[in-house]
Amino acid sequence: MRVKWSGSIGRRLRESQDVVRLLRACLNLSSSTRNGESIHASVVKQGFLAFTSVANSMMNFYAKSGDLGSALLVFNYCIPNKDSVSWNVIIHAHLHRSVASPRGLCFFTQAWAASGFQPNISTLVLVIQTYRYLRAFEAGRTVHASTIRAGCSTVTSLQNSLLRFYAEFQMQLAHNLFDEMTDRDVISWTVMVAAYAQTHEETLVALELFRRMVDSGIKSDGQSVVSVLKACSKSKAVRMGESIHGFVISRALGYDVFVPNSLIDLYSKCNHMDSSLRVFREIPEKNVVSWNTFLSGLVQNEMHSEALTLFDSMRKAGVESDEVTLVNLLQLCKSFLDPDQSKLIHSRILRRGFELNQLVTNSLIDAYASCNLITHAWNQFSNLKTRDAVTWSTMIAGFTHCGMPDEAIAVFREMSHTTEPPNAVTMLNLLEACSLSADMKRSRCAHGIAIRRGLASDVVVGTAILDMYSKCGSIGSSRKVFDLIPHKNVVTWSAIIAAYGMNGFPNEALALLAEMKACGLRPNQVTALSLLSACSHGGLVEEGISLFEELIWDHEVEPCLEHYSCLIDLLARAGKVDSAMNLIRKLHDGLKAGASAWGALLSACRNYENYEFGASALPQVLELEPSGSAGYLLASNMYASGHSWVDATKMRMLAKEGSVKVIAGYSLVYANGKACKFLAGDKHHSLSDELQFTIQQLHSYMKMDVAC
């Protein structure tokens, strides 16, 4: 209908349907609100609001124009006889504007109580979506039952909404509904694939559903491909991911940038960085997510130099960094242990206005603590007005990393006075702090907190409690905790083996290997390392060599440098310096003895006065750890024991000239309810004289044992 806008428009409105058409036309105009208000005034003058259809159209016009207040006025005062359309319009208006609108649900409840109300599909979809958002399971099921009674439960769009709803609560219910559907579209399949892809246990189901979808002839879209790629990432199914990649190319689904972004994420998480780079380069128009995803992949795969180069390219391309970019850069600062770069990223955070972003701030605290700038980390933490569990956990971990367990435990105490409950990660950080303090009283308190929070039975937390007690020297407590863990994994067994080994029970540690195998678990590299370490510290040379051959040569464990270093340490401690040196020389290609192996050899050369091999080991130690004090001190002591005073002095002068910081060794002894710290060479201790006398006695007893 051709309409000429003028002040006399009301005179030409004779039929109520003309008003409805005019209001629909107004919604397509840029000045719709002003024109609509003119029509409203004319409608009132002509008395057309008596027609419910006109009043409904007027209300719908205001709602879609964003004027919910005027729509509500029309609903409340201009429609005495509200029909189903009236209710649907006002409910839709509220729920479309805010998914968690309490007024929208209130209107739905009132309408449901009114006789003759028939909700349309759009309203039902929004109501189910709202109940899903509010986690209102029973209310959602009631609506589902009502749709069945109303005979509209087979509408595909409604079923898809119900699929999303049930997937939030019980996947079995969602799967039952999915199986009942006779007309599944791409959204139906995508909802199910995405839901199963969210959980680590069901990713294979997601992959199988996607295969069934393709086989059934449903045309996949970008969203369904992204969902199945997420499942591939979680299950590390790179071969399946490559097949999906081929599918994307054959179906030309890569035009949506979020599809190649998901491929980059998949390849990065599966350590296929060449494939990830190829996908990244082939994206014609990269967005900030593309850059961030590839940057995250490089950081995760410890390709730090490449990550810095990529960030430089990102800046040159004119792409503005966002909070995800900054978090990745902070991860790089942690890897490089670069305090200056951390400060530069901090200044960038301030310039970009991300200082209130929780994710960024937590990462900044973590980076500062990792770079031993604990004061900067604490300042950031103290300035935060709101702190989540991650913030508290990060600060506790930061103090622990910097060797400040008292401060870490104090932060946990402060957290306990807030409304933020500690989670499993918080508990792990607290347990690590207690391990560092070696205080049994604190350790028992932390254990009690884990029990009260229902976290002690968790295999990860339980293993950390076991480890904490072992570091406090209470192997009995470690064993009790171990026995109470219901579902032990290989990490738990490795931890209890290490506990017995470090507390001087090497035979018991070796006996646990048979128990572990009897439970159907195979030792991994950490288990092997714990066993070899137990043999090394317990002086079980033959047992250690036999174990190495059993685990390595029988292909139970793939040997790495740490295993060979531990075996070298075992031989060196036992005085078999020749055998240790031969083992270093026979290391196969790809393995090169590290500082720990050469250091063990150098220490043995000092103890057993083998100056020839000591002279060979010394340059290796200094080359591999030029800033470490251990090599210089070992060499100095070795030369001093051989009365080569000039060489001994030279070593100490080299350390001084290189500004090598000497870290004194210390022992923690638990006595009278507290942990007592004894520092090597400390002459200012209140019991210094008594300690020196006792130490001399112990040395004399040790020499007597050796002589016997």
Side-chain angles (χ1 to χ4, degrees):
M1 183 180 69
R2 189 175 179 83
V3 178
K4 181 180 178 182
W5 295 103
S6 70
S8 61
I9 188 172
R11 291 196 297 273
R12 292 197 295 275
L13 293 177
R14 293 293 182 266
E15 298 292 334
S16 62
Q17 289 303 312
D18 292 340
V19 180
V20 174
R21 294 190 189 96
L22 280 171
L23 287 168
R24 287 175 185 164
C26 281
L27 287 171
N28 297 321
L29 299 174
S30 58
S31 57
S32 62
T33 304
R34 180 168 51 82
N35 292 325
E37 288 170 349
S38 298
I39 295 173
H40 190 177
S42 298
V43 164
V44 171
K45 290 176 186 177
Q46 296 295 321
F48 281 116
L49 278 181
F51 295 96
T52 303
S53 60
V54 174
N56 288 342
S57 295
M58 198 76 245
M59 179 172 56
N60 184 56
F61 166 80
Y62 280 126
K64 290 183 176 177
S65 298
D67 189 354
L68 195 56
S70 296
L72 202 54
L73 287 172
V74 174
F75 178 79
N76 287 330
Y77 300 109
C78 301
I79 313 178
N81 300 313
K82 299 174 177 64
D83 60 9
S84 291
V85 176
S86 311
W87 288 105
N88 279 312
V89 169
I90 199 66
I91 294 167
H92 192 282
H94 280 83
L95 295 183
H96 183 73
R97 185 172 185 176
S98 173
V99 71
S101 169
R103 181 173 282 186
L105 288 178
C106 183
F107 279 129
F108 179 74
T109 305
Q110 291 175 33
W112 206 258
S115 59
F117 171 61
Q118 293 182 348
N120 60 28
I121 299 302
S122 179
T123 299
L124 288 170
V125 167
L126 280 173
V127 168
I128 293 167
Q129 179 181 323
T130 302
Y131 283 138
R132 176 167 62 91
Y133 181 83
L134 296 174
R135 309 286 297 172
F137 179 67
E138 291 302 327
R141 292 196 74 179
T142 302
V143 173
H144 186 188
S146 300
T147 63
I148 295 172
R149 288 194 297 270
C152 59
S153 62
T154 57
V155 177
T156 305
S157 60
L158 183 57
Q159 288 180 315
N160 289 341
S161 186
L162 284 165
L163 279 178
R164 287 193 182 94
F165 172 80
Y166 285 124
E168 290 282 331
F169 299 95
Q170 296 181 31
M171 274 309 300
Q172 188 56 53
L173 292 175
H175 208 119
N176 292 343
L177 176 60
F178 181 76
D179 288 340
E180 293 170 5
M181 292 176 66
T182 55
D183 186 20
R184 305 182 188 118
D185 60 11
V186 66
I187 296 174
S188 315
W189 289 95
T190 301
V191 168
M192 294 301 291
V193 171
Y196 277 117
Q198 294 297 323
T199 58
H200 285 282
E201 298 80 9
E202 304 287 357
T203 50
L204 293 178
V205 180
L207 298 176
E208 174 60 22
L209 278 171
F210 183 79
R211 187 192 62 76
R212 284 174 53 195
M213 180 183 78
V214 175
D215 290 345
S216 66
I218 298 293
K219 188 177 180 180
S220 306
D221 61 4
Q223 192 59 51
S224 61
V225 170
V226 167
S227 297
V228 76
L229 286 172
K230 185 181 291 185
C232 292
S233 296
K234 287 192 174 181
S235 60
K236 299 291 191 291
V238 68
R239 295 289 170 257
M240 180 67 176
E242 288 171 340
S243 299
I244 303 297
H245 190 177
F247 177 81
V248 166
I249 295 171
S250 65
R251 300 294 176 91
L253 293 172
Y255 59 87
D256 285 324
V257 71
F258 54 84
V259 173
N261 288 349
S262 297
L263 282 167
I264 293 170
D265 181 60
L266 162 71
Y267 286 129
S268 297
K269 287 178 178 174
C270 295
N271 309 115
H272 283 231
M273 289 310 296
D274 289 341
S275 300
S276 185
L277 175 60
R278 188 165 58 252
V279 175
F280 177 76
R281 284 176 172 169
E282 289 172 356
I283 300 175
E285 294 184 13
K286 304 173 182 67
N287 59 14
V288 67
V289 178
S290 311
W291 289 93
N292 283 337
T293 306
F294 190 48
L295 182 63
S296 298
L298 291 171
V299 174
Q300 289 165 11
N301 285 275
E302 298 183 358
M303 300 173 70
H304 303 136
S305 299
E306 292 85 347
L308 287 175
T309 303
L310 181 73
F311 176 66
D312 189 51
S313 301
M314 182 179 176
R315 283 192 305 154
K316 290 176 180 176
V319 180
E320 194 68 63
S321 56
D322 62 5
E323 60 268 37
V324 178
T325 318
L326 295 170
V327 168
N328 280 314
L329 292 176
L330 288 169
Q331 288 295 315
L332 282 176
C333 294
K334 276 183 61 179
S335 303
F336 286 124
L337 297 177
D338 192 334
D340 294 331
Q341 283 297 324
S342 298
K343 292 174 184 176
L344 286 173
I345 303 301
H346 189 182
S347 65
R348 184 182 288 272
I349 290 168
L350 295 173
R351 289 197 303 272
R352 299 281 290 118
F354 289 123
E355 64 271 17
L356 299 179
N357 184 289
Q358 201 100 51
L359 176 65
V360 173
T361 309
N362 291 342
S363 298
L364 181 61
I365 293 170
D366 186 34
Y368 273 144
S370 298
C371 296
N372 293 312
L373 295 175
I374 195 63
T375 304
H376 289 69
W378 177 249
N379 289 338
Q380 288 302 307
F381 178 82
S382 301
N383 291 333
L384 288 175
K385 293 181 180 178
T386 57
R387 301 164 184 156
D388 60 9
V390 178
T391 314
W392 290 99
S393 301
T394 304
M395 195 65 245
I396 294 167
F399 275 125
T400 305
H401 172 77
C402 293
M404 304 168 71
D406 294 345
E407 289 79 358
I409 294 167
V411 171
F412 181 83
R413 287 202 188 101
E414 186 182 346
M415 180 186 182
S416 64
H417 294 119
T418 68
T419 57
E420 191 69 46
N423 57 24
V425 176
T426 316
M427 282 307 309
L428 290 173
N429 291 328
L430 174 65
L431 294 167
E432 181 64 25
C434 292
S435 299
L436 189 63
S437 71
D439 189 327
M440 275 296 291
K441 184 178 179 181
R442 287 173 170 177
S443 297
R444 289 195 182 104
C445 286
H447 188 183
I449 293 168
I451 293 171
R452 289 194 297 274
R453 291 285 176 182
L455 298 169
S457 59
D458 178 87
V459 66
V460 178
V461 176
T463 302
I465 295 170
L466 179 165
D467 182 64
M468 172 186 70
Y469 279 131
S470 74
K471 288 176 179 174
C472 292
S474 180
I475 189 64
S477 299
S478 288
R479 183 69 201 214
K480 287 178 183 177
V481 173
F482 174 79
D483 291 336
L484 290 172
I485 297 174
H487 304 291
K488 303 173 184 67
N489 58 20
V490 66
V491 180
T492 313
W493 283 96
S494 300
I496 192 66
I497 289 169
Y500 275 109
M502 76 169 64
N503 281 280
F505 299 97
N507 291 308
E508 288 81 353
L510 292 175
L512 284 167
L513 178 61
E515 290 184 41
M516 177 183 175
K517 289 182 177 180
C519 292
L521 290 172
R522 289 173 59 85
N524 63 8
Q525 290 185 327
V526 177
T527 318
L529 200 60
S530 299
L531 289 163
L532 288 170
S533 179
C535 292
S536 178
H537 288 87
L540 304 180
V541 181
E542 297 304 323
E543 291 87 343
I545 295 171
S546 175
L547 176 74
F548 185 85
E549 292 175 349
E550 177 189 342
L551 294 175
I552 305 304
W553 305 129
D554 291 349
H555 305 290
E556 285 198 70
V557 175
E558 183 69 27
C560 64
L561 181 60
E562 286 77 9
H563 297 107
Y564 286 106
S565 296
C566 202
L567 188 60
I568 291 164
D569 181 59
L570 168 70
L571 295 168
R573 282 174 182 266
K576 298 180 180 294
V577 181
D578 292 349
S579 300
M581 182 59 108
N582 288 334
L583 182 58
I584 289 177
R585 288 170 177 164
K586 290 179 181 178
L587 285 178
H588 59 77
D589 293 339
L591 288 178
K592 184 180 179 182
S596 60
W598 284 109
L601 185 65
L602 182 60
S603 179
C605 292
R606 179 199 63 182
N607 294 334
Y608 295 98
E609 299 180 354
N610 190 324
Y611 306 119
E612 180 186 350
F613 283 160
S616 300
L618 175 58
Q620 301 291 338
V621 174
L622 298 184
E623 180 185 347
L624 292 167
E625 279 191 343
S627 59
S629 61
Y632 294 97
L633 293 179
L634 282 172
S636 177
N637 291 337
M638 179 184 72
Y639 287 131
S641 64
H643 306 292
S644 299
W645 304 113
V646 175
D647 290 330
T649 305
K650 183 180 178 182
M651 283 295 105
R652 293 188 176 272
M653 289 297 295
L654 282 173
K656 187 175 181 181
E657 290 171 3
S659 300
V660 176
K661 187 177 180 181
V662 178
I663 301 172
Y666 67 88
S667 297
L668 283 173
V669 178
Y670 184 75
N672 299 325
K674 62 181 292 187
C676 302
K677 186 174 182 179
F678 299 99
L679 194 68
D682 183 8
K683 297 181 180 179
H684 301 288
H685 196 281
S686 58
L687 300 174
S688 179
D689 294 337
E690 291 89 336
L691 289 172
Q692 288 298 324
F693 177 73
T694 304
I695 290 168
Q696 288 173 6
Q697 279 190 315
L698 288 171
H699 276 300
S700 64
Y701 292 148
M702 290 167 69
K703 289 177 180 178
M704 288 171 61
D705 286 342
V706 171
C708 292

